[in-house]
Amino acid sequence: MKKVQSFFTKLLLVMAVISICLNGLGMFAKVHADTAAFQMDARAAYAIDAESGQVLYQKNATKRYPIASVIKILTLGVILQDIRNHHLKWDQKIKITPAVAKMADDWHFSNVPLVNGEEYTVRQLVDSMMLVSADGSTEALALADAGSTAAFNKKMMAFAKKAGVTDIKIYNMIGLPNGDLGEHKLKGVDKDAENLLSAKDVALISKYLVEQYPETLDITKQKFANFDVTKDQQYLMTNVNALLPQNGFAPKNGEIDGLKTGNTDRAGKCIVSTGTFAGRRIILVALHTKGEWNDQSKMQQDFYNKLVDEYQPVEIKKVSDLSAKLTSVKVKNGKNKNKNKANIKLTKKTTVWLPKNMKLQATKPTLRVQGDDQKQLTAPVKKNQQVGSIKLHIPGLPDFNIPVSTSQSIAKKSMF
C-alpha cells in the first residue's frame, strides 16, 4: 500500500512539474509575441516606411510634446513652398535687423553670426538653419517671408494641415520658448509656451516634406558648407547630424540624408532622421531622448542596423499573395442572388517589412470590411470602391493594415 501511495505521490509531483513548465512556456510565448523588435530610450518615438506608411515602431506616438528645433522642418517646408510659388527666391537677399542680429549673437542659442545691416541670401540662411540649427537665420527667413511671427505661424499650420496634421500648437518658427524671441514673441502668450507636436505629427510632416520637396535632402545631406558672415569673415558650418555617411554613427547597409535635431530644457534632446535602407525610405522620430547626443545617435544607428539585419521588404502584388481565402467577400442584399460575393483586390500594390525568411502567408492575414458587419458587405457596391483592409500580424512590429477594394459593382436588390 505504501508503495502504491509513494508511486501516486511521485506521479502527482511529476505532473505538477510538467504543468508548471507548460504554463511557463505559455507565458514566455505570450511575452515573446508581444515584445517589440525595437526599444528606444525616449519619451516618444515613431518610425515609418515613408512609401507604404507601415509603422515600424511607436511609443507614446500620438501625445504632444515640445520638440525644440525639430520645428525647423516645418519652417523649411513653408520656405520651400514659397520659393516654388515665387514668393521668395534662392538668391534673394535679406537684410538683418537689430532684433535678428541680437538673436544671432546670443550664445544661449544655436547660431551663426549675423551682422546688423548686412544682407544674406535665402540659400545661405536656409543652409545655416538646417545644418547647424541657426536660430537667427530662421527668424530672418520667417520674418522676410511673412512679416511677423504670428503670420508665419499661420503658414506653418496650413503646411502641417496639407501633411495631414491638425491638432498641434505652434508658437514660433524656431522652437524656443515664446519669451526668448524678444520683440518678435507672441503678445498675450505665456513666455514659457513652446510648440507642441507628437512624434507621429513630426513623422507625417517630414514624410510630406521629402515627398513634395525632394530638394530638402540636397540641403540636409550636406556635411559642410561655408557661410560668408561678411566680405572678410567666413564661417565653416559642420552638419550636426552624426548619422550622415562616413560619420561616427552612420548606419551600415543604408544611407542617411536628413533631417534635424533639437534641444531645449523642456523638450530635451530630439532627433528626426531619414534615409534609404533596402531601397526603402525610413523616417525615425525620437523626442526627449535619454543620455547625451552620442547616446541619441547610437540609439538611431542601432535601430537602422537591426532593421536591415533582421527584416526585409517584401512586395505584395495581389490579395492571393496573402491568402486565397481572402480574394472575395460576401455581399448581402445584392440584386442578383447568383452574385452574392464580390472579388477583392489591393487598392494599390504595397511593400511590407517582414522578418527575414518569413512568408507573407505566415502573417495570419485577416479581412475586415467597412460597416457594422465586418465580415460582409451590403449592396450596392461600386467597382474600385475601397471597402476595408487586410490586417497583417508581424512579429516584433505593429500590425499593418493594407487597404482593399472591390473588382466589380453589385447593385442593390429592388424592394419590388
Side-chain angles (χ1 to χ4, degrees):
M1 186 67 178
K2 288 183 179 180
K3 287 184 179 181
V4 173
Q5 289 177 338
S6 176
F7 170 77
F8 278 109
T9 300
K10 290 179 180 179
L11 180 60
L12 289 171
L13 182 61
V14 170
M15 291 175 66
V17 171
I18 290 173
S19 176
I20 292 171
C21 289
L22 288 174
N23 288 333
L25 286 171
M27 291 173 63
F28 173 80
K30 183 177 180 181
V31 170
H32 178 74
D34 294 343
T35 299
F38 307 99
Q39 296 295 328
M40 306 206 77
D41 198 3
R43 178 186 286 168
Y46 195 69
I48 56 170
D49 179 299
E51 184 180 350
S52 69
Q54 182 185 4
V55 179
L56 304 172
Y57 180 75
Q58 54 188 349
K59 177 182 179 181
N60 296 329
T62 58
K63 188 173 181 179
R64 295 182 308 187
Y65 295 107
I67 63 167
S69 284
V70 164
I71 198 64
K72 288 166 183 165
I73 293 171
L74 186 51
T75 303
L76 177 64
V78 174
I79 298 301
L80 294 181
Q81 169 189 268
D82 287 352
I83 290 173
R84 186 174 293 181
N85 293 338
H86 308 293
H87 178 65
L88 293 173
K89 296 180 179 179
W90 281 114
D91 59 357
Q92 178 180 332
K93 291 187 176 181
I94 296 175
K95 190 173 183 178
I96 301 304
T97 64
V100 171
K102 182 179 180 181
M103 166 68 72
D105 288 340
D106 194 324
W107 65 270
H108 293 93
F109 309 134
S110 300
N111 273 312
V112 298
L114 297 176
V115 178
N116 179 36
E118 284 281 345
E119 293 183 332
Y120 304 94
T121 66
V122 169
R123 187 174 296 279
Q124 284 180 288
L125 296 173
V126 166
D127 281 350
S128 61
M129 175 177 71
M130 297 308 292
L131 268 66
V132 294
S133 201
D135 293 338
S137 298
T138 307
E139 188 173 52
L141 284 165
L143 295 176
D145 180 83
S148 70
T149 301
F152 194 79
N153 288 351
K154 290 181 180 179
K155 286 193 167 190
M156 295 170 75
M157 291 292 291
F159 190 93
K161 188 175 181 179
K162 291 179 181 178
V165 175
T166 55
D167 188 22
I168 58 178
K169 297 290 185 182
I170 297 291
Y171 297 104
N172 61 70
M173 72 298 281
I174 297 174
L176 293 170
N178 180 51
D180 287 348
L181 269 71
E183 69 178 66
H184 293 303
K185 69 183 178 182
L186 297 180
K187 304 299 188 291
V189 175
D190 190 279
K191 65 182 179 63
D192 295 323
E194 291 189 39
N195 303 316
L196 297 173
L197 287 82
S198 71
K200 182 178 180 179
D201 294 334
V202 174
L204 292 177
I205 292 169
S206 300
K207 177 180 182 293
Y208 181 81
L209 178 65
V210 298
E211 286 177 349
Q212 300 299 317
Y213 301 91
E215 60 267 34
T216 294
L217 301 174
D218 292 329
I219 299 165
T220 59
K221 71 182 181 183
Q222 297 177 94
K223 296 185 73 173
F224 306 100
N226 287 317
F227 189 97
D228 294 324
V229 180
T230 65
K231 194 187 318 181
D232 303 316
Q233 182 186 358
Q234 194 174 73
Y235 183 92
L236 177 61
M237 300 183 295
T238 302
N239 197 322
V240 297
N241 189 346
L243 284 84
L244 291 175
Q246 288 81 53
N247 281 358
F249 295 99
K252 62 182 181 180
N253 300 323
E255 188 168 298
I256 297 293
D257 47 17
L259 201 55
K260 192 73 191 69
T261 61
N263 182 37
T264 64
D265 290 342
R266 283 185 62 204
K269 297 176 180 64
C270 303
I271 184 170
V272 184
S273 63
T274 185
T276 52
F277 296 84
R280 309 289 298 177
R281 177 159 296 282
I282 306 300
I283 296 172
L284 174 58
V285 179
L287 305 180
H288 207 300
T289 62
K290 304 299 188 291
E292 302 303 320
W293 289 109
N294 283 351
D295 298 320
Q296 179 188 71
S297 299
K298 180 66 166 57
M299 179 179 66
Q300 293 228 329
Q301 180 191 44
D302 289 344
F303 173 92
Y304 290 115
N305 287 345
K306 185 171 185 178
L307 178 66
V308 175
D309 284 345
E310 299 183 11
Y311 291 81
Q312 64 180 0
V314 178
E315 186 179 17
I316 308 172
K317 296 180 180 179
K318 52 188 183 299
V319 172
S320 59
D321 290 341
L322 298 168
S323 171
K325 297 179 180 179
L326 302 180
T327 56
S328 64
V329 62
K330 289 182 178 180
V331 180
K332 65 179 181 180
N333 296 336
K335 183 177 181 180
N336 189 337
K337 292 183 178 180
N338 296 324
K339 289 187 177 180
N340 61 353
K341 285 189 176 182
N343 292 327
I344 297 295
K345 65 179 182 178
L346 300 181
T347 301
K348 64 177 181 179
K349 294 178 182 178
T350 191
T351 296
V352 60
W353 287 85
L354 296 180
K356 289 186 175 179
N357 301 319
M358 184 178 187
K359 302 295 184 182
L360 285 168
Q361 295 80 1
T363 60
K364 301 177 183 178
T366 54
L367 174 64
R368 291 290 181 270
V369 298
Q370 297 167 351
D372 296 333
D373 187 346
Q374 295 184 335
K375 294 183 179 180
Q376 64 179 343
L377 298 171
T378 301
V381 176
K382 295 182 180 179
K383 184 178 180 180
N384 297 325
Q385 176 185 341
Q386 186 172 318
V387 293
S389 62
I390 295 176
K391 178 182 286 188
L392 306 186
H393 304 275
I394 306 167
L397 304 184
D399 291 341
F400 183 43
N401 291 301
I402 303 173
V404 293
S405 305
T406 52
S407 299
Q408 82 267 33
S409 297
I410 297 180
K412 185 178 180 179
K413 179 173 61 176
S414 175
M415 294 179 65
F416 305 98

